[in-house]
Amino acid sequence: MATFHWQLWIQLALPLLLALGACELLARLLRRPLSAGARLLGFLLPWLLLAPWLVGDHLLAPTDVLRWLPDAPRVEASPRHDLLNDAVYQFLPWELEVRHALAERRLPLWSDLLDGGSSPWANPQAGVFSPIHNLARAVPIQHFLLVMLGLKVLIAALGTWVLARLVGVRSPAALIAATGFALSGGLMAWSLFPHTATVAWVPWLAAATLRLVRRPVRRNLVVAALVAAVTLLSGHPETAFAGAGLAAVVGLALAPADRLRRRRGLIAVGLACGLGLALAAVHLVPFAEVLSHSQRADETLARRLPTSALGASLKTAGFVPEAVSFLRAPSHPRAFGWPYAEPFRGPINWVDACSGYAGLVAWAGAWLALFVGPRRRLVPWLGFVGLAYLLTARFVPLALLLELVPALRSPAWSRFLLVACLALNVAAALGIDSLARRTQSRWRQSRRHWSRRPWPRPALAFGLAAAVSLLLQPDGWGLLLWLSLAAAGALLLVQPRLAAWALAAVVLLDLVPWARSHLPRGQSALFYPRTGLVETLADATGEGRVVGGDRLAYPALLSVYDLGDVRSHNPLADVRQLAVLEAAFGFSPSTEEYFAPFSNLDHPLLDFLGVRGALLSLGVPRPDGLRQFDDGRFYPFFVFSNPEALPEAFFPAAVEVLPRQDLPAWVRDLERADRVALLQREAGGWQPTPGPRPVVEVVEERRGYRRLQWSPGAEDRLLATSLRGPDGWRARTSEGRLLDTLTVNGAFLGLRIPPGVGAVELHYRPSGIGVGGAFTGLAALLLGALAAGPGRRRRS
């Protein structure tokens, strides 16, 4: 018998009601108040989608990936949604770090546990500023992803309705578009990812842009700037970039024809864009600082279109063969197989391949719009869809053109498919509404003239859409959907109002089962269970750091148990830190090798990093310098301790000065952990004076703060630490004197200690937060002045 959890229903209902109120206010500011049908749709659609998770004990999280933990609860687990492991290994650990910071009434500027030390503030996917993330933070962490998805569906559906109404679509067709986008691959394929917390705001961004370009007044400018800032802060700037592309296309194409009004509107949009960027600068500037030397930027900037793809593309109409199958995505729900239940037959993986499916109603409606839709209003939507698929399927001439601009190599262009689902649904709504209007006005007038009846061109459009879909993937489920859609389309020619209900039913029949297939049903007993192995590993680690041999306990899993891992699992990981870890331990994660092995645990750098606990398995070589800590009861897993680990801060025995290009070889050949290297361009001719090495005492310690003291001396010393840095760290003496920071061992914080200094305070602030905060403050003041200024009086 299914269990009814009334607390969960309340935990979902309250954020949905708050989000509904916020969307109502925003819709009124855009002069398109929500109808009763739109409110009802926005509130009920999340419940319809998430009903299986609201009864019973399953969680909307892929917790079954943790079934490997020794002495974990023995429950029936499935590998079906293991592809979504980022939710367990990244998003939830990041979310916990943010929650811990807020619970301690501090800003989440730094985490000692994540990625060997990193800043959640500068990581967009941690969602520090995201409105959807912050609304969902009111619920327990195990239901966080469920409430997040409910909020995304509501906001996306209501935003699509407002956008369609602003384009001129009547309410029934707008409701169909809203349902289609909220359940499309744009949200469901990436349902657990921060991408969808951003794409849910894209309809509102396009609506605000359209409203502003048509009527460039002060209130519309303030609203557009605020929506732009919210979109940028929602968790995934790359998706926000794609959404801004759609908003720009729509604004340019649908701006007023009058030159003066058009010019004013476009200037207002540019100003709103600048103000939105400035409002988000307190986050974006630190993010840009981190991105500039991140693994993702380093990898994508070096990427080139392989020469072999150029010749092979001649056989696939100019598209890269590995990506051309993306073009099948919008035509059929099983274009690549039934998601997560059948063998995968598409490009990359289920998440990327399915993100372009917007529903058969959207597919057929877009074809219908080509034949009977309003041409001028239709161009930006279908034009953006075409551009998105040319980019994603890697049309070779376009791909070569993008390679000429280094900055355009970084975006993952498949993210445009998420926004293309919105454009396809709006285009379909234009087609459906146009046909309904023509049917109502012409049907009676054309009874005596067969050639004037309004059905031949729509029938041709429908036939072409169905033929393409069924030829690419002939199956019984697709045929049933097309027959249902044909019945609803025939009804549209006779009773448009009744046909709207029939089309809505087809949308739900098509997309609800398909959307649910993307959502994991995780076992609640496997939600980060604190097993005996974890307890033993925590005892072995103490106050130090931990690591898993090979690919065991992949980060940031152990941070959930308050254990700091030296490995990173983040596309924003610092390439300088990764270069050091690769030289010592062969640890080099990439897009191709997402989970990289960590080996050679005998290396002295393990002691430098302060690793006191290690988890190994039967197939991993046992290091000589580590001692087995457990009694063998976790076989084939073993817990080791490292008694030789150095403290986090110490005075080294020897210091060498090297150019950066010589550092990897120096790290590989390192023999003692208390020997460190400085970078030549930073140290110049400076060398610490040989002398006694006092013990460093940690007087006070918390996230992003250390207070250290030792016996002062008369020498010029180097204080080495295993804190990732030196970017962002500031060191002051007890008298307030600012000390010079240096890079130790290529990626860690070092301090130049003058004679007589015996204490220091370390503070972390993300690089660029001061500049970004200044821009944000100025933009907020300007928008406040614009919003509070006297309104323009209307003539009587």
Side-chain angles (χ1 to χ4, degrees), residues 575-587:
V575 290
R576 298 166 295 189
Q577 179 189 13
L578 290 178
V580 175
L581 296 180
E582 181 183 11
F585 310 108
F587 181 73

Side-chain angles (χ1 to χ4, degrees), residues 302-318:
R303 190 179 299 164
R304 294 290 189 278
L305 191 66
T307 308
S308 59
L310 299 179
S313 66
L314 298 176
K315 301 178 181 179
T316 53

Side-chain angles (χ1 to χ4, degrees), residues 86 89-91 93-95 97 109-126 290 294-295 545-547 553-560 563-578 581 587 589 594 598 609 611 703 722-725 729 747-748 764:
D86 279 355
Y89 292 145
Q90 288 183 327
F91 308 143
W94 295 345
E95 172 62 20
E97 279 297 289
L109 301 177
W110 178 259
S111 168
D112 293 318
L113 306 181
L114 298 172
D115 306 317
S118 65
S119 172
W121 183 282
N123 180 8
Q125 296 190 78
V290 172
S294 67
Q295 172 200 346
R545 297 191 179 98
V546 69
V547 75
Y554 211 78
L557 172 62
L558 294 175
S559 69
V560 175
L563 298 172
D565 202 318
V566 297
R567 299 169 294 177
S568 62
H569 188 41
N570 189 339
L572 293 179
D574 195 318
V575 290
R576 298 166 295 189
Q577 179 189 13
L578 290 178
L581 296 180
F587 181 73
Y594 198 56
F598 192 94
L609 294 173
V611 174
R703 301 285 198 272
S722 54
L723 292 169
R724 186 179 66 82
W729 288 100
F748 304 96
Y764 180 83

Side-chain angles (χ1 to χ4, degrees), residues 665-676:
W666 182 88
V667 170
R668 279 192 296 270
D669 299 334
L670 184 66
E671 295 180 354
R672 291 181 51 183
D674 56 359
R675 295 175 60 91
V676 300

Side-chain angles (χ1 to χ4, degrees), residues 613-649:
L615 177 64
L616 305 179
S617 67
L618 193 62
V620 179
R622 299 190 178 192
D624 294 333
L626 305 186
R627 297 178 184 174
Q628 187 167 343
F629 189 83
D630 66 272
D631 54 7
R633 69 181 186 274
F634 305 117
Y635 182 90
F637 297 94
F638 308 97
V639 175
F640 283 79
S641 65
N642 181 19
E644 303 298 326
L646 294 176
E648 186 179 71

Side-chain angles (χ1 to χ4, degrees), residues 251-265:
L252 287 170
L254 302 183
D258 180 74
R259 286 187 177 181
L260 181 59
R261 291 181 59 200
R262 183 184 185 88
R263 187 182 306 162
R264 288 177 177 175

